[in-house]
Amino acid sequence: MTSPSTSSPTPQALPQERRVVTAIPGPKSQELAARKQKYVANGVGNVLPVYVKRAGGGVVEDVDGNSLIDFGSGIAVTSVGNSAEAVVRRASAQLADFTHTCFMVTPYEGYVEVAEQLAELTPGDHDKKTALFNSGAEAVENAVKIARSYTKRQAVVVFDHGYHGRTNLTMALTSKNMPYKHSFGPFAPEVYRVPVAYPYRWLTGPENCAQEAAAQAIDQISKQVGAENVAAIIIEPLLGEGGFIEPAKGFLPRIAEFAKENGIVFVADEIQSGFCRTGQWFACEDEGVVPDLITTAKGIAGGLPLAAVTGRSEIMDAAHSGGLGGTYGGNPVACAAALGAIETMRELDLNSRAKRIEEVMKPRLHKLAEQYPVIGDVRGRGAMIAIELVKPGTKDPSPEATAAVAKACHENGLLVLTTGTYGNVVRFLPPLVIGEDLLNEGLDILENALSSVG
């Protein structure tokens, strides 16, 4: 157990320490789980059924008094920390003024301010406009609507291992069947999937990955779809639910170039990778890729539901008046929270924090990979890092080892998430404000978990 960190302010002076005082989950969490079983649909699952009482900085405290080190951030949402001061301050002030009018009925300044911030922060110096929504899936769906309206085309191209949401259209865009798509079809038409540059699993080696994958993708689009029929190409610059796959260098610029050559709207899905998560405001900046449209959510508002499509003004303006929106899209409290989150990112320089997290984690993880052959690959950037687990001596996925490692971490007070098309990736998404003592202690717990599975 570590002494409390003093690296960042947290709500209610929440001690920044791991504390395990009961079995995990404890008795009070188990009681709540029984109530959930009775009243909540079975389709709504939990990674770890500990019921949260407070959270902040780098920890989550449950109703039994356990304090867990947080390597999940609510799936990259609470990057600025739970209940960050500026988020609470701005959202609370907005709550006191008004909670809702519907921007499409009587608008308000906060929505416009968020759009101004996104125009400044997103890649490219062209004129930009934004529309706000509630979730990442909504943002992606609306990006498709906008691209189709602008191009007067229908086809949408996505990539192997991609994830874009749980609505009907975004399920069609998503690669993985279970749990996202299984038994929920039929899905939306005119969606085409092509290879992505996955260095660890590219058959001819990572050195050939970018060029060959781009050539295959472009060939399939040209031959099977026809570039002239494609409205949008949508890709995560660093793939999230597919396994934190970082496309081989050169792949993204080539796909973006192909889109530009053929009048196709290039959409960067930065819902999980955006807002300082990778050590840059947006992951596509790593190779200087400037998307036509960029979708954001998760880390944008410090935990409140908000999403956005931001892009070239002429493309964003293609949709007719009234064609974009929604009752709650750009809710005033969520907009206030977003302005607080962006304020925090700027003031604490969370891009530098994310890079520092990588500096701490990557060497430890590479050392563990040398020690434990179950680790096949270490990858990611900033505070979006993962290990892919395999059967030692092969590249065969080992979801069994992955589940065992996650379980051991959870039992010892470290919240981690698994992911990947093959269910064999442990991903790390700590809050960007986490103290280094907690970061290192979490890695100690991970090491012990790995030692238990070999």
Side-chain angles (χ1 to χ4, degrees), residues 159 196-197 209-211 213-214 218 233-239 245-259 266-270 273 283-290 381:
F159 292 81
V196 74
C209 185
Q211 181 179 354
I218 290 168
I233 294 174
I234 307 175
I235 190 168
E236 302 160 274
L238 202 163
L239 282 69
I245 300 164
E246 187 174 6
K249 300 298 184 192
F251 178 79
L252 283 174
R254 179 64 189 107
I255 297 298
E257 179 185 33
F258 172 78
F266 183 80
V267 183
D269 180 342
E270 294 262 11
S273 59
C284 60
E285 296 178 75
D286 184 64
E287 293 187 86
V289 172
V290 177
R381 297 200 303 273

Side-chain angles (χ1 to χ4, degrees), residues 29-323:
S29 283
Q30 292 179 40
E31 290 175 9
L32 286 164
R35 289 167 58 188
K36 171 190 178 290
Q37 180 64 30
K38 184 174 182 180
Y39 294 109
V40 179
N42 286 342
V44 182
N46 302 125
V47 171
L48 177 58
V50 295
Y51 281 72
V52 178
K53 182 179 180 181
R54 297 191 300 170
V59 298
V60 172
E61 183 181 275
D62 72 12
V63 292
D64 290 289
N66 299 299
S67 180
L68 283 67
I69 299 172
D70 184 7
F71 274 17
S73 299
I75 317 183
V77 169
T78 55
S79 297
V80 296
N82 248 295
S83 300
E85 185 277 330
V87 172
V88 172
R89 168 170 41 84
R90 286 178 177 257
S92 297
Q94 181 58 56
L95 273 168
D97 288 340
F98 62 92
T99 57
H100 175 77
T101 66
C102 185
F103 188 76
M104 298 182 300
V105 179
T106 51
Y108 36 86
E109 185 178 5
Y111 190 118
V112 178
E113 285 186 282
V114 171
E116 289 171 337
Q117 290 288 328
L118 288 169
E120 178 182 346
L121 293 172
T122 52
D125 56 6
H126 50 274
D127 290 339
K128 302 170 197 165
K129 292 189 176 183
T130 286
L132 298 179
F133 306 98
N134 302 293
S135 70
E138 274 192 75
V140 173
E141 287 226 9
N142 279 277
V144 171
K145 287 166 57 177
I146 293 163
R148 284 174 168 167
S149 183
Y150 178 72
T151 62
K152 311 303 180 189
R153 304 171 182 179
Q154 294 185 341
V156 179
V157 172
V158 289
F159 292 81
D160 288 340
H161 308 287
Y163 175 85
H164 301 287
R166 294 174 181 263
T167 59
N168 186 268
L169 174 57
T170 56
M171 281 190 293
L173 301 176
T174 291
S175 180
K176 188 176 180 181
N177 175 54
M178 183 62 82
Y180 308 118
K181 302 167 69 170
H182 182 71
S183 79
F184 295 145
F187 302 115
E190 287 300 310
V191 173
Y192 301 88
R193 197 173 319 282
V194 297
V196 74
Y198 187 167
Y200 179 65
R201 295 196 172 275
W202 199 253
L203 289 177
T204 61
E207 67 278 5
N208 301 312
C209 185
Q211 181 179 354
E212 292 179 1
Q216 288 184 25
I218 290 168
D219 182 68
Q220 287 186 26
I221 296 168
S222 302
K223 301 291 196 311
Q224 298 179 23
V225 189
E228 68 277 11
N229 296 316
V230 179
I233 294 174
I234 307 175
I235 190 168
E236 302 160 274
L238 202 163
L239 282 69
E241 305 305 306
F244 279 31
I245 300 164
E246 187 174 6
K249 300 298 184 192
F251 178 79
L252 283 174
R254 179 64 189 107
I255 297 298
E257 179 185 33
F258 172 78
K260 184 176 182 180
E261 291 167 351
N262 290 278
I264 300 167
V265 176
F266 183 80
V267 183
D269 180 342
E270 294 262 11
I271 288 160
Q272 189 160 168
S273 59
F275 290 100
C276 307
R277 177 52 58 180
T278 64
Q280 295 166 294
W281 280 99
F282 299 97
C284 60
E285 296 178 75
D286 184 64
E287 293 187 86
V289 172
V290 177
D292 297 311
L293 301 179
I294 185 167
T295 60
T296 53
K298 291 191 182 291
I300 192 175
L304 275 72
L306 189 70
V309 182
T310 302
R312 298 183 184 276
S313 294
E314 66 273 19
I315 299 177
M316 292 295 297
D317 282 343
H320 55 274
S321 179

Side-chain angles (χ1 to χ4, degrees), residues 1-8 10 14-19 56-60 67-71 357 360-361 364 412-416 428 430-431 433-446:
M1 193 164 303
T2 62
S3 58
S5 167
T6 57
S7 63
S8 59
T10 57
L14 185 61
Q16 293 297 287
E17 61 183 6
R18 181 176 66 95
R19 183 174 63 252
V59 298
V60 172
S67 180
L68 283 67
I69 299 172
D70 184 7
F71 274 17
I357 288 170
V360 172
M361 293 193 77
R364 289 278 308 267
N412 287 282
L414 173 65
L415 174 58
V416 296
F428 309 110
V433 297
I434 193 171
E436 286 189 25
D437 51 355
L438 289 176
L439 198 59
N440 279 301
E441 187 176 4
L443 291 169
D444 292 340
I445 295 169
L446 174 67

